[in-house]
Amino acid sequence: MGKVHERIDDRLRAFIERQHVFFVATAPSGPDGHVNVSPKGGAGVFRVLDERTIAYVDLVGSGAETVAHLQENGRIVVMFCAFTGAPKIMRFHGVGRSIPEDAPEYADLLAGFTLDDEQRPLARGIVVVDVTRISDSCGFGVPRMEMVANRDQLLRWSENKLEKDGPDWKARYMAANNTASIDGLPGYDVNRDLVAA
């Protein structure tokens, strides 16, 4: 039977810390835009900031759907589900905002995450969620799976981009791929002139 929780207590925090992957869902306003669900994971990318606030590091990726949707309406849900141990699903609905690298609070917030040194340069922002609803459900339909390892493809890809394109590779990649959602909503604010550079 599902339950609504008032806050993220130590028991819920421990459950979150045991999970290796989480899912983020957002949608644009109006009936015609595309709903987006993104899997996220990796050691040290998620934090419980307090009993009603969560955050995760947004690593470089191929799109900017979540950020674009948050800038338009702020609606977000973050879901964790147990693939090992007792079955359980946790959902954190709330209002999210994206904190880009050039924001004054970015550096201090990033310092609190336990990312390794190779991951830090891949951060393009931090998503902070003010949680308005915390709920769990049974998770009986979630398959049982074992964690094998974190993938290293993103790190190897970024090292290749650095070698091939130079130190501004991330800004150039983001200018080409992360400035708008698939529906044309504004994403990351990056100098588009970098695309031609």
Side-chain angles (χ1 to χ4, degrees):
M1 193 71 171
K3 180 180 177 184
V4 175
H5 302 265
E6 287 299 313
R7 61 190 179 86
I8 304 170
D9 60 19
D10 290 343
R11 187 175 51 82
L12 295 182
R13 186 187 294 252
F15 170 80
I16 291 167
E17 291 172 352
R18 289 193 301 271
Q19 309 317 309
H20 299 284
V21 64
F22 59 98
F23 302 87
V24 175
T26 57
S29 300
D32 298 326
H34 292 81
V35 174
N36 185 66
V37 178
S38 294
K40 307 286 183 185
V45 300
F46 191 90
R47 284 178 65 195
V48 174
L49 300 183
D50 62 42
E51 59 187 29
R52 298 292 294 193
T53 313
I54 57 178
Y56 70 88
V57 178
D58 189 25
L59 300 175
V60 170
S62 58
E65 302 308 298
T66 301
V67 168
H69 296 164
L70 292 180
Q71 289 176 164
E72 187 189 35
N73 59 46
R75 295 179 304 166
I76 188 169
V77 61
V78 177
M79 185 188 80
F80 289 84
C81 54
F83 294 107
T84 60
K88 183 188 214 76
I89 297 171
M90 292 295 313
R91 289 182 180 88
F92 301 89
H93 291 85
V95 178
R97 65 190 183 281
S98 174
I99 299 174
E101 288 181 274
D102 60 357
E105 66 268 39
Y106 176 82
D108 286 342
L109 193 54
L110 183 67
F113 287 88
T114 58
L115 296 168
D116 58 39
D117 291 339
E118 290 85 18
Q119 287 177 299
R120 283 187 188 277
L122 299 176
R124 61 182 177 177
I126 298 169
V127 172
V128 176
V129 180
D130 297 320
V131 179
T132 57
R133 186 175 194 272
I134 304 164
S135 62
D136 64 27
S137 54
C138 67
F140 293 166
V142 176
R144 190 177 295 224
M145 295 186 284
E146 299 284 332
M147 171 66 171
V148 176
N150 287 311
R151 296 182 190 268
D152 66 351
Q153 281 89 340
L154 182 61
L155 179 59
R156 289 188 286 115
W157 170 80
S158 67
E159 289 170 345
N160 184 52
K161 294 291 281 181
L162 175 63
E163 185 177 319
K164 179 181 168 191
D165 298 333
D168 65 345
W169 74 267
K170 185 170 74 169
R172 290 171 59 196
Y173 178 84
M174 288 177 63
N177 298 283
N178 298 158
T179 59
S181 75
I182 57 177
D183 295 315
L185 296 171
Y188 278 100
D189 184 15
V190 184
N191 183 355
R192 295 278 305 162
D193 294 337
L194 291 169
V195 176

